[in-house]
Amino acid sequence: LIDRERVRLLKSSRKLTRPERSSKEKQCLMAMLKINGHDAFVMFDSGCTADAISPAFARVHGIKVHELDKSVPLLLGTVGSKSRIYHGVDVNFECNGRNYPHYVDIVNLDRYDAIVGTVFMRKAGITLDFWHDVVRVQGNPIPTLAEGEDTELLARRYRRTDTN
């Protein structure tokens, strides 16, 4: 076993400038999906093995969540992550007119109502085409949000919640 905290790296004396990435290169694939009949701002994450909705989305739409009999770690792919998942719920996703009952974790998400990972993508036959910025459900494209639309959507949503 390797003590990850004490791994010694072979360091060069030369400094390296981290490459700048364009906003296009960093653009996630996002779309609006219906979850329990409500529009949800969803990010598709091919590196995520969990599917999740935010506590705010659950609260706003009256989705009753369940405490897990045993909490589970939220693994973020970094050493030292200590977040845990305490709640979950069965919801209904709607994609291209089809309904998919599916379990999701309740996770404190920053920008999105939901994150769809590999579990749901496999279940619904979702593929991500980064070359064309398209999300396909069983081969059929669904409308995605173009660069900037996500920021506009978030700004509208925050304005709406500020007035409530």
Side-chain angles (χ1 to χ4, degrees):
L1 289 173
I2 297 173
D3 181 358
R4 294 180 185 202
E5 301 295 323
R6 298 178 196 264
V7 173
R8 302 228 190 253
L9 297 174
L10 181 60
K11 294 181 186 174
S12 167
S13 60
R14 183 175 65 92
K15 293 285 188 190
L16 180 66
T17 302
R18 187 171 186 260
E20 292 291 324
R21 304 275 200 267
S22 71
S23 56
K24 175 71 174 154
E25 288 175 297
K26 296 186 292 188
Q27 182 71 32
C28 298
L29 290 178
M30 302 161 293
M32 298 299 293
L33 292 182
K34 291 229 183 261
I35 299 176
N36 279 9
H38 303 283
D39 286 333
F41 179 39
V42 175
M43 191 229 350
F44 296 87
D45 187 345
S46 63
C48 184
T49 57
D51 304 298
I53 63 171
S54 74
F57 184 82
R59 181 180 40 79
V60 166
H61 297 295
I63 299 171
K64 190 180 283 190
V65 303
H66 307 282
E67 187 173 346
L68 299 178
D69 56 1
K70 190 168 83 173
S71 70
V72 294
L74 178 60
L75 302 174
L76 302 175
T78 60
V79 175
S81 172
K82 304 249 191 266
S83 294
R84 296 193 71 77
I85 301 166
Y86 295 97
H87 297 88
V89 66
D90 291 309
V91 295
N92 188 56
F93 281 88
E94 184 182 319
C95 300
N96 278 356
R98 285 195 59 194
N99 291 316
Y100 298 89
H102 191 67
Y103 168 85
V104 293
D105 294 313
I106 305 300
V107 175
N108 195 12
L109 304 173
D110 184 27
R111 295 175 50 104
Y112 309 98
D113 295 322
I115 292 181
V116 168
T118 57
V119 176
F120 184 71
M121 285 193 260
R122 287 181 185 278
K123 181 178 195 173
I126 294 174
T127 55
L128 307 180
D129 179 349
F130 290 101
W131 187 259
H132 297 102
D133 289 331
V134 173
V135 174
R136 289 188 175 79
V137 180
Q138 297 181 359
N140 299 310
I142 62 172
T144 55
L145 296 170
E147 183 179 351
E149 285 182 302
D150 60 329
T151 306
E152 184 181 313
L153 174 70
L154 286 169
R156 276 199 317 264
R157 295 176 98 193
Y158 286 130
R159 279 194 301 271
R160 236 183 312 162
T161 57
D162 286 345
T163 60
N164 291 337

